Amino acid sequence: MPEPLIEVDALTKEYRVHERAPGVVAALASVLRRKYKIARAVDALSFSIGAGERVGFLGPNGAGKTTTLKVLSGLLHPTSGTVRVAGFDPRRREHPFLRNITLVMGQKQQLLWDLPPADTFILNRAIYDLPEREYQETLGELTELLERGDLAERPTRQLSLGERMKCELVAALLHRPKVLFLDEPTIGLDVSMQVTLRDFIRRYNERFGATVLLTSHYMDDVTALCPRVIVIDKGRLTYDGDLQALAHRVRPHKRVRVRREDGREETVDVPQSELKARVTQLLAERGIADLTVEDPPLEEVMRELFMEKRTTT
Amino acid sequence: MRRYLRLFAVQLRASIELALQYRVDFFVGGAMALFWLFWNLVPMVVVWGRRPTIAGWGFWEALLVVAWFTLLRGVLEGAVQPSLVQVVEHIRKGTLDFVLIKPADAQFLVSTARFEPWRGLDSLGAIALAVYALHRLGRVPAPGEVAIALLLTIAACALLYAFAILVVSAAFWVVRLDNLIYLFNSVFDAGRWPSTVFQGAWRVLFTFVVPLALMTTYPPLALLGRLKVSTAIAGLAGAVAFVTMARLIWLRAIGHYTSASS
């Protein structure tokens, strides 16, 4: 494994949240006397990621993914534990550290709303103090990778969500960061746009050797991009390793689909050990038009993983 | 330093582009700026129309104060408040994160985010008013007096900015800021009157708590040759202290934001 670029050791992040019962009386009482409860968003989380890796960060809503990304990018301070990214302590937010990272949030945008994206690019160029030649070169390369065309000339508010997201990525990558934190970068996009962005992220990773940590609700993103996944639930590490191995562990079945000549379709889940025998048997039957063997969709794997976790704890 | 100057130029350019983007807004903006310039004169014309002097201030002397009030209101509404409104938006929408992960001073980035170029007309109008008032008074200020007035004006701009930073810092704890901005604007409005017009607690308030006296009364006094040097120095020192305090509170507020938000 290459030298770790991101190291997280026993990271815990707690929030103090104000809680009260519903209703006016309770609201009034809470003004006078506040009750606080400690919510633990991340709980003794440890992992490390090597330079150039693409890692998927998975977990149900509220698992602590975004909190972890924010700690890694220096926006939140850990309650305890240590974090190092590219040799820096993110919480200090030193400029050399910030020059090395980028954060893309699918739900939030940094583009100036009323001006064309090109203006945001120029602003970022000034902020990162990029020499003109390097800036033009990177912009050209990113534009080419994204097949972005002349989107940058129209005001951001006139662009579609997908077009906007493309420009968000360009704005976030102009300084050629070594570490990419991507929080739901494809959210709300149609399938073909998801594919475009996915390809782009992979190509950026390959061309610049950047490290990518990605959260997504679309399992296809993860399957297509991330050989390795880190799964957390309720702030705790549930799984860290190869994506395929995880699928096999949780769902040791293969899914066999059969289409008969009369048009009927059947799907059966077959344990790995019985697969050969079962397929042979099916093929020997009459009237089979088509037969495919596939892994169960990752969505199902994840659902099962979290269910399993819930019932055992 | 050069980098920040360039950054400032880029931000300013974006604001100008924005002002030019909507044609109707562009013309309305210009017309409004002119309107405010004249509207500022109405209260004093009404008040001085009935008596020749108030607390020792004649009409043309008071007009100098109005000129400084106009100038500073242009700075406040043209350069300080627009950015302030943007930060509050950032905090509400959570997009301040994008500002905080940039390798540049966050306070600089947020406070130069937006300008209203039209308010530059206020400054031009203010200078014209001041020149005309001095002409009517038949007074040509000595170079030293002009220098002191300039220094005090720079201090006044810095004070306005520091106030804005304090308001923004408050936004990290309190979400609704409209009232705070409204309150500040109402208080600032008292700056159109010479500070010695106010008495007792009001004068203390406008001299030390919200230093309107320094902003709009001291520079005209300097031009009229009636400001004591010691008062000018005390005013400048106060401004430096105030700006430093605002910076410290801002840094604390950012610390609070990063450790508390989700």
Side-chain angles (χ1 to χ4, degrees):
Chain A
M1 188 166 152
E3 191 189 320
L5 196 71
I6 300 175
E7 273 187 289
V8 176
D9 186 27
L11 169 68
T12 296
K13 174 68 192 171
E14 288 171 348
Y15 295 113
R16 204 169 68 131
V17 287
H18 154 221
E19 67 169 3
R20 68 169 176 85
V24 178
V25 178
L28 216 67
S30 84
V31 170
L32 300 172
R33 245 184 92 185
R34 300 222 129 184
K35 269 196 215 151
Y36 289 100
K37 154 182 118 165
I38 299 289
R40 188 167 287 188
V42 180
D43 191 359
L45 183 64
S46 300
F47 61 83
S48 76
I49 296 176
E53 271 197 89
R54 293 191 306 262
V55 178
F57 199 28
L58 303 175
N61 284 331
K65 301 181 300 270
T66 303
T67 301
T68 307
L69 284 189
K70 284 193 171 185
V71 170
L72 287 175
S73 50
L75 291 168
L76 291 175
H77 295 188
T79 307
S80 67
T82 54
V83 172
R84 288 196 79 76
V85 177
F88 293 94
D89 177 3
R91 65 195 286 171
R92 301 166 62 106
R93 287 215 300 275
E94 293 158 290
H95 291 179
F97 163 71
L98 296 173
R99 282 175 186 282
N100 271 316
I101 64 153
T102 203
L103 172 67
V104 175
M105 295 181 275
Q107 317 252 39
K108 296 173 186 173
Q109 56 161 21
Q110 66 162 321
L111 295 174
L112 301 164
W113 184 247
D114 288 304
L115 291 172
D119 283 284
T120 307
F121 302 162
I122 292 170
L123 179 62
N124 280 359
R125 193 203 129 196
I127 291 175
Y128 289 100
D129 203 16
L130 306 171
E132 179 66 20
R133 236 191 70 204
E134 189 187 313
Y135 164 76
Q136 289 298 346
E137 210 178 280
T138 315
L139 187 61
E141 246 177 291
L142 294 177
T143 310
E144 190 198 327
L145 282 179
L146 261 182
E147 300 138 25
R148 199 178 43 84
D150 64 342
L151 294 179
E153 310 305 322
R154 275 187 286 150
T156 303
R157 68 190 143 77
Q158 288 178 9
L159 301 177
S160 73
L161 182 62
E163 293 168 334
R164 225 154 61 208
M165 210 52 222
K166 281 179 168 186
C167 295
E168 281 288 331
L169 276 171
V170 174
L173 297 176
L174 277 173
H175 59 291
R176 295 197 190 174
K178 277 199 284 188
V179 186
L180 276 55
F181 298 118
L182 309 176
D183 193 10
E184 306 268 358
T186 56
I187 199 157
L189 301 180
D190 64 44
V191 176
S192 81
M193 191 57 83
Q194 284 178 25
V195 173
T196 310
L197 288 194
R198 239 176 254 158
D199 286 349
F200 170 70
I201 294 165
R202 191 183 29 244
R203 277 185 283 177
Y204 182 89
N205 154 269
E206 282 162 1
R207 181 148 343 166
F208 298 104
T211 308
V212 179
L213 184 56
L214 165 114
T215 76
S216 180
H217 272 109
Y218 301 112
M219 290 304 158
D220 289 346
D221 281 352
V222 179
T223 319
L225 272 176
C226 306
R228 172 182 165 197
V229 292
I230 292 172
V231 183
I232 62 171
D233 190 15
K234 294 183 185 147
R236 295 205 192 128
L237 187 72
T238 309
Y239 179 85
D240 178 358
D242 185 64
L243 178 61
Q244 291 308 321
L246 173 69
H248 282 296
R249 200 192 79 183
V250 180
R251 269 270 182 124
H253 296 91
K254 287 276 180 185
R255 178 158 292 183
V256 180
R257 269 181 219 279
V258 178
R259 190 159 56 81
R260 297 188 185 274
E261 278 166 354
D262 58 10
R264 278 187 302 141
E265 283 191 31
E266 285 169 34
T267 310
V268 266
D269 286 347
V270 182
Q272 191 80 44
S273 54
E274 297 166 21
L275 185 67
K276 200 174 165 193
R278 192 63 191 273
V279 170
T280 317
Q281 179 203 339
L282 276 168
L283 284 174
E285 283 181 27
R286 272 165 186 260
I288 302 284
D290 193 14
L291 182 146
T292 53
V293 180
E294 54 197 41
D295 287 318
L298 193 55
E299 257 95 0
E300 281 180 27
V301 173
M302 292 326 272
R303 204 180 311 136
E304 214 150 290
L305 179 67
F306 296 132
M307 294 268 281
E308 168 193 303
K309 186 103 197 320
R310 293 262 144 78
T311 46
T312 54
T313 49
Chain B
M1 185 65 195
R2 252 188 55 207
R3 175 168 157 241
Y4 280 97
L5 275 177
R6 207 171 70 203
L7 203 45
F8 182 79
V10 170
Q11 302 256 59
L12 186 62
R13 209 191 71 165
S15 285
I16 292 173
E17 268 180 53
L18 202 62
L20 295 175
Q21 190 147 63
Y22 303 100
R23 262 163 49 127
V24 177
D25 274 14
F26 179 77
F27 290 115
V28 170
M32 286 304 283
L34 283 174
F35 170 77
W36 280 114
L37 201 54
F38 287 103
W39 192 248
N40 274 340
L41 298 175
V42 173
M44 74 166 302
V45 169
V46 171
V47 171
W48 264 269
R50 293 182 159 264
R51 24 182 116 71
T53 63
I54 295 169
W57 289 80
F59 178 83
W60 299 108
E61 290 158 345
L63 189 64
L64 272 181
V65 175
V66 171
W68 252 266
F69 171 71
T70 308
L71 175 73
L72 289 177
R73 193 152 79 178
V75 171
L76 177 69
E77 291 177 2
V80 176
Q81 262 173 17
S83 295
L84 191 150
V85 172
Q86 297 261 308
V87 194
V88 176
E89 272 293 278
H90 273 318
I91 295 173
R92 212 172 48 78
K93 288 203 224 148
T95 44
L96 192 69
D97 291 346
F98 288 121
V99 178
L100 294 177
I101 60 159
K102 295 279 162 36
D105 185 73
Q107 184 185 338
F108 179 85
L109 283 183
V110 298
S111 54
T112 54
R114 184 66 68 81
F115 299 92
E116 300 262 355
W118 273 121
R119 301 313 297 250
L121 274 185
D122 283 8
S123 319
L124 293 180
I127 291 168
L129 277 184
V131 169
Y132 185 63
L134 284 171
H135 169 74
R136 289 300 296 255
L137 288 166
R139 189 178 160 79
V140 182
E145 291 166 352
V146 176
I148 290 177
L150 264 176
L151 263 179
L152 286 170
T153 308
I154 293 169
C157 294
L159 273 176
L160 279 182
Y161 175 69
F163 261 105
I165 291 298
L166 285 181
V167 171
V168 170
S169 304
F172 291 99
W173 285 278
V174 194
V175 182
R176 290 294 303 269
L177 263 190
D178 330 17
N179 292 332
L180 216 50
I181 296 174
Y182 185 71
L183 176 74
F184 182 70
N185 282 351
S186 309
V187 172
F188 183 72
D189 208 54
R192 68 171 71 239
W193 309 108
S195 61
T196 44
V197 166
F198 299 100
Q199 296 194 332
W202 290 109
R203 195 189 290 186
V204 173
L205 175 73
F206 293 142
T207 308
F208 297 108
V209 185
V210 189
L212 292 178
L214 184 148
M215 296 184 195
T216 62
T217 305
Y218 290 0
L221 280 180
L223 290 184
L224 294 170
R226 284 172 16 198
L227 188 71
K228 279 190 256 161
V229 176
S230 57
T231 312
I233 291 171
L236 289 176
V240 170
F242 200 83
V243 170
T244 312
M245 179 187 77
R247 171 71 179 174
L248 291 177
I249 290 180
W250 160 267
L251 289 176
R252 247 194 94 88
I254 285 286
H256 175 79
Y257 173 84
T258 49
S259 55
S261 75
S262 67

